[in-house]
Amino acid sequence: MTAMAEDTVGLKNNQDEKQSLELKTENTDTHSEPDKLNINAPGRPIDKECNNGNQDIDSKNSTSEGNRTDNGSGQEVVGEGTKIVDPEQAYAEGKISKKQLKRLRREEAWRKKKEFLKTKRKDQRRLEAQKRKEKGEPNKKRLRLEFEKRLETSDITIAVDLSFDDLMMEQDIKKLMKQIERCYAVNKRAPVPVQMHLSSLGGRCRHRMETAIAGWQGWKVGMERRLYTEVFERERIVYLTSDSPNTLSTLEPGKVYIIGGLVDHNSHKGLCYQRACEAGVAHAQLPIAQFVKIQSRKVLAVNHVFEIMLAYLELHDWQEAFLRVIPQRKGVEAITADQPEDVVTEIEGTKSETEGTRSDQTSDQGGLPLEDGNSALLDRDS
């Protein structure tokens, strides 16, 4: 009886060991199966996972498409959001308020206007390109290359002094940066361009350029945070100011002409001249009184001074340059050879035109040459 029980127990143990071996074999084969499979064989576990993922994506897409319905009231419902397809119909059915209807009308009008302007600009560019092609003119890329080539041969520099940032209102800063943008655009098209620089570029002027002027990083312009006296040699500098007793006769190669970047509506009269004297650099005014009569102030905007100098380099004639650039609203007239000079200077406060004319004539008649006049002024100030 005991021997029989022992045989039964041994048989049971052998069966348990056999089952455990089979389980181990099945587990081993399961883990080694991916290594034995051909990666290109269809139906591999990876393909099944990918197919399951695709099925999940398809099911999500189908779900989202299922959520996109039209409730028949002019509204297209997408998930939890609602897009008004026909605002007028939705308003007629009471689905949206009158305020919402007005907002949707404004948005639709702006969208149509934006598309119209975009199409219009595209058509204009296409038409301009076609006209240039018919006239045999170069395209924009070639124009840019030609400008860079002309710029390499330029030996005259015009810099705008932007050290007056703290003296201007925000609106004046905007005007000044618009004028500088105009200067660069004119210089690109000029037959005889100049080396353009911006000195003391910082503060609100730099912020305005970075935020409001597109493409300024690609400008062929020298941009410096330093003052112009730290960028250029002092003996090369000529500061242009209408208060200077010296008159500019020509533009000399190698010189650096500084334009004061100040829009102050004449509230800081004589400031540019004062700073030029303090810096110990040469200064002069354009020869306006010798060639044209102006029925208003001789103070011109930054871009007007810049354009006059470019026109003079092209025409070699001050009078023609003044007549081309100075706006007609200033009442500009050419002075002929048989016509006496009747200079009308800046109108300020209670100062009469006669007193202004007398002072200008005295400075013109007794004016010294550029360098001598500056040294005399500096000696007198010291």
Side-chain angles (χ1 to χ4, degrees):
M1 187 71 179
T2 303
M4 191 173 183
E6 290 177 357
D7 292 340
T8 304
V9 171
L11 181 60
K12 186 176 181 181
N13 291 335
N14 290 336
Q15 290 178 352
D16 293 337
E17 290 177 1
K18 186 176 180 180
Q19 290 177 357
S20 63
L21 288 175
E22 290 177 356
L23 290 174
K24 288 182 181 179
T25 304
E26 289 177 0
N27 293 335
T28 304
D29 293 339
T30 303
H31 289 293
S32 61
E33 183 179 0
D35 296 333
K36 297 179 181 179
L37 290 174
N38 183 0
I39 59 174
N40 295 322
R44 62 185 186 277
I46 298 177
D47 288 340
K48 292 179 180 179
E49 293 176 2
C50 294
N51 292 334
N52 292 335
N54 293 333
Q55 290 176 359
D56 294 338
I57 294 173
D58 294 338
S59 62
K60 291 179 181 179
N61 292 336
S62 62
T63 303
S64 62
E65 291 294 334
N67 293 337
R68 185 185 298 272
T69 58
D70 189 349
N71 56 12
S73 63
Q75 297 178 345
E76 187 182 70
V77 182
V78 183
E80 298 179 355
T82 303
K83 178 182 177 182
I84 307 299
V85 177
D86 189 356
E88 302 293 342
Q89 182 180 354
Y91 174 71
E93 297 178 359
K95 301 297 182 182
I96 60 176
S97 64
K98 189 173 182 179
K99 186 176 181 180
Q100 291 174 328
L101 176 63
K102 290 181 178 180
R103 179 178 60 82
L104 292 172
R105 283 175 178 174
R106 288 196 301 268
E107 291 177 356
E108 181 66 16
W110 167 244
R111 185 186 63 80
K112 291 181 179 179
K113 183 179 179 181
K114 192 174 181 180
E115 292 178 355
F116 171 75
L117 293 176
K118 183 178 180 181
T119 305
K120 185 178 179 180
R121 285 194 296 266
K122 188 182 293 184
D123 294 339
Q124 286 179 347
R125 287 194 296 267
R126 189 183 300 111
L127 184 61
E128 290 174 0
Q130 184 178 356
K131 288 182 178 179
R132 285 196 299 267
K133 187 176 180 180
E134 291 175 355
K135 294 180 180 179
E137 297 178 355
N139 54 24
K140 287 187 176 181
K141 183 177 180 180
R142 188 175 175 184
L143 286 173
R144 185 178 69 253
L145 295 175
E146 291 180 355
F147 164 67
E148 294 175 359
K149 187 177 180 179
R150 293 196 310 272
L151 198 60
E152 292 176 357
T153 61
S154 176
D155 53 1
I156 291 180
T157 302
I158 300 179
V160 182
D161 177 16
L162 300 176
S163 61
F164 307 94
D165 188 286
D166 56 333
L167 300 177
M168 291 182 286
M169 300 174 63
E170 190 64 31
Q171 192 66 24
D172 297 332
I173 294 286
K174 295 179 181 179
K175 291 180 180 179
L176 175 61
M177 300 315 294
K178 279 289 185 182
Q179 294 174 7
I180 291 175
E181 194 174 6
R182 168 72 179 175
C183 291
Y184 179 68
V186 173
N187 195 40
K188 283 177 62 178
R189 303 187 188 97
V192 186
V194 297
Q195 300 288 341
M196 183 177 172
H197 284 261
L198 303 176
S199 66
S200 302
L201 180 59
R204 290 180 295 165
C205 288
R206 187 175 189 90
H207 180 264
R208 181 68 185 175
M209 174 170 281
E210 293 176 347
T211 56
I213 300 180
W216 66 273
Q217 299 91 339
W219 284 12
K220 300 297 179 182
V221 174
M223 300 183 186
E224 291 283 348
R225 293 182 179 271
R226 299 176 294 169
L227 191 64
Y228 62 92
T229 52
E230 301 175 1
V231 180
F232 308 104
E233 298 85 354
R234 291 177 184 268
E235 58 272 12
R236 296 177 54 201
I237 297 174
V238 180
Y239 208 116
L240 300 177
T241 168
S242 61
D243 298 297
S244 174
N246 307 311
T247 302
L248 196 66
S249 59
T250 186
L251 300 181
E252 302 178 23
K255 290 290 186 179
V256 180
Y257 298 94
I258 308 296
I259 303 175
L262 177 61
V263 178
D264 63 341
H265 309 286
N266 206 30
S267 59
H268 296 285
K269 180 175 172 57
L271 183 58
C272 293
Y273 173 64
Q274 177 185 348
R275 291 201 176 181
C277 293
E278 292 173 353
V281 297
H283 48 77
Q285 62 172 300
L286 297 178
I288 298 177
Q290 298 178 11
F291 297 97
V292 294
K293 292 191 303 181
I294 300 180
Q295 302 301 324
S296 63
R297 297 186 300 128
K298 289 192 299 180
V299 179
L300 301 174
V302 172
N303 60 298
H304 290 155
V305 178
F306 194 93
E307 291 179 50
I308 287 171
M309 300 176 75
L310 289 179
Y312 174 76
L313 290 174
E314 177 187 355
L315 303 171
H316 299 285
D317 189 322
W318 282 115
Q319 190 174 70
E320 291 295 327
F322 291 139
L323 294 175
R324 174 190 287 189
V325 176
I326 297 178
Q328 292 297 322
R329 67 177 181 272
K330 286 184 172 288
V332 58
E333 296 180 9
I335 295 178
T336 58
D338 57 345
Q339 182 180 0
E341 293 184 9
D342 184 14
V343 182
V344 179
T345 56
E346 299 176 17
I347 302 173
E348 180 187 15
T350 59
K351 188 175 181 179
S352 65
E353 293 184 3
T354 306
E355 293 174 351
T357 304
R358 188 181 301 114
S359 63
D360 270 12
Q361 287 176 348
T362 304
S363 64
D364 287 341
Q365 292 171 1
L368 298 174
L370 185 60
E371 300 296 334
D372 297 340
N374 290 327
S375 60
L377 277 169
L378 291 174
D379 294 339
R380 185 183 63 189
D381 293 339
S382 61

